[in-house]
Amino acid sequence: MTAASTSHGDASYAAAGVDTAAGDRAVELMKAAVGATHGPEVLGGVGGFAGLFDVSALRDFRRPLLATSTDGVGTKIDIAIALDKHDTIGQDLVGMVVDDIVVVGAKPLFMTDYIACGKVDPQRIATLVEGVARACAETGTALVGGETAEHPGLMKPHEYDIAGAAVGAVEADAVLGPERIEHGDLVVAIASSGLHSNGFSLVRHILANAKIGYTDHSAELGGTVGEVLLEPTRLYTSPLLGILGDVPGAVHALSHVTGGGIAANLARVLPRGAWVEVDRSTWSPDPVFRVLAGLGGLTLAETEGTWNLGVGMFAVVAADSASSVTRALEAAGMPAWVAGRVTTGERDLAGFEQGAKGVDGGAVRLVGDFTS
């Protein structure tokens, strides 16, 4: 079909609102950042119909298992759009996707991303993907492909959404999970960098009711409201992989505290019949949680099923390894502390969170009061 025939009258892709040239410009702008994540395992460069990744290294595995994860960033994007600040959203995406890979003990191999938008802004798309690429490089993940799609009529010109998927690999006998957990294991909490990418529908609801704008300054939060809320998600993959290699057998399970909050996510990785009481007094939630809860007329306890409240990841570890694990995390710049202990056996589980995300696992509840 010739160009003349496709552009007859208003019956053209451009007239329909899709600018393929803008998409090409975005790819050119992001190529260097994406290429920087490529090692010798990545074949074909940028722009192919499919990304190619050489998995010859898996021949050295006794029984390699592939791990996969997919996710998005959620309504945190609304704040990035309002501030026209898009350089941190890519890290949020990698945190949501790749840090789920390490939960089973897998090393991430590669990732792809997908951006849907009302209208392609080449520089904005490039900024988003550059953020993904930087975080991929930090986690040792190759960004091997992606897609940008214009959805005129479905999305406003300034709107976009971003999602991604990743693949990793782990030895079958090294998979972390409930079957490794034992009575007496300690639960190590690892600090978050803030809200990460969960619970922003509640955040937006609270701010709207309080008539607070993203560009407003907040002395309590210590800066512009939107910029504080856009603090990027902490990336746990590389430090955790280091611990799994340096202290073999110490970590029995990991739990990424994302949607559903603290108790539900920890319960997912506990074996049936095990229970944990997470002690609130072992940490103090960051001001962002306290301020938002106060604005919403909520107690911190009432937000535990929505926000991470300062705990981005849990590691369930052998009791005699807890000190070495927390020291290693601290050395990697990640505050960590013992927040609970695994117990097995019969007990009244009233008030415990059980069965989260369809998993018939253990039970968790939070006890005590947060430190001030």
Side-chain angles (χ1 to χ4, degrees):
M1 188 175 290
T2 66
S5 64
T6 59
S7 61
H8 178 69
D10 285 334
S12 69
Y13 219 10
V18 177
D19 187 349
T20 56
D24 291 340
R25 289 194 297 274
V27 172
E28 288 300 318
L29 290 171
M30 70 178 73
K31 280 176 70 173
V34 174
T37 71
H38 293 178
E41 302 87 359
V42 179
L43 309 177
V46 177
F49 282 94
L52 296 173
F53 190 91
D54 184 353
V55 293
S56 298
L58 296 185
R59 291 183 299 192
D60 296 330
F61 282 56
R62 295 179 301 280
R63 185 188 169 198
L65 300 181
L66 294 180
T68 184
S69 172
T70 186
D71 211 334
V73 176
T75 60
K76 188 174 186 176
I77 288 172
D78 184 59
I79 301 173
I81 291 172
L83 295 187
D84 195 21
K85 178 176 168 54
H86 313 283
D87 57 336
T88 59
I89 289 294
Q91 178 167 326
D92 290 313
L93 180 65
V94 174
M96 293 298 290
V97 174
V98 174
D99 278 345
D100 274 0
I101 294 285
V102 77
V103 163
V104 297
K107 180 185 184 301
L109 301 175
F110 57 84
M111 179 173 173
T112 58
D113 61 23
Y114 175 82
I115 302 171
C117 58
K119 183 176 178 58
V120 169
D121 178 331
Q123 186 57 64
R124 184 175 67 175
I125 296 298
T127 298
L128 285 167
V129 176
E130 286 167 1
V132 175
R134 284 194 302 272
C136 278
E138 184 175 333
T139 59
T141 310
L143 184 57
V144 298
E147 173 70 7
T148 301
E150 277 188 315
H151 291 171
L154 292 179
M155 305 177 78
K156 295 177 182 178
H158 68 284
E159 293 178 339
Y160 69 87
D161 197 8
I162 187 169
V167 172
V170 60
E171 284 280 13
D173 61 4
V175 174
L176 303 180
E179 63 281 353
R180 292 181 176 269
I181 293 177
E182 301 174 350
H183 176 84
D185 282 352
L186 296 181
V187 177
V188 173
I190 311 173
S192 70
S193 57
L195 286 154
H196 287 183
S197 296
N198 297 104
F200 274 85
S201 293
L202 176 58
V203 170
R204 293 164 51 245
H205 176 73
I206 288 172
L207 293 180
N209 285 345
K211 296 181 170 51
I212 295 174
Y214 300 136
T215 58
D216 292 349
H217 180 82
S218 169
E220 290 179 297
L221 292 175
T224 301
V225 171
E227 291 182 358
V228 171
L229 297 177
L230 285 178
E231 178 68 29
T233 302
R234 174 166 277 160
L235 301 175
Y236 299 95
T237 292
S238 293
L240 288 173
L241 287 176
I243 291 171
L244 294 179
D246 295 342
V247 195
V251 178
H252 294 165
L254 294 168
S255 172
H256 195 190
V257 183
T258 55
I262 296 171
N265 281 292
L266 181 56
R268 293 168 68 184
V269 303
L270 297 178
R272 188 174 182 180
W275 51 273
V276 172
E277 291 183 323
V278 175
D279 186 356
R280 298 185 184 98
S281 71
T282 59
W283 83 96
S284 177
D286 296 336
V288 66
F289 300 109
R290 297 181 181 274
V291 172
L292 288 170
L295 289 171
L298 301 168
T299 65
L300 287 174
E302 289 174 316
T303 71
E304 290 167 352
T306 304
W307 297 331
N308 67 60
L309 293 181
V311 179
M313 188 80 75
F314 283 112
V316 183
V317 305
D320 59 2
S321 299
S323 295
S324 58
V325 169
T326 54
R327 283 197 302 269
L329 288 165
E330 295 277 357
M334 295 190 176
W337 61 95
V338 173
R341 178 178 178 271
V342 176
T343 304
T344 58
E346 295 293 328
R347 70 151 294 162
D348 179 7
L349 295 176
F352 282 73
E353 185 80 34
Q354 301 179 79
K357 304 283 187 178
V359 176
D360 187 14
V364 178
R365 71 174 178 181
L366 276 72
V367 298
D369 298 316
F370 291 113
T371 57
S372 57

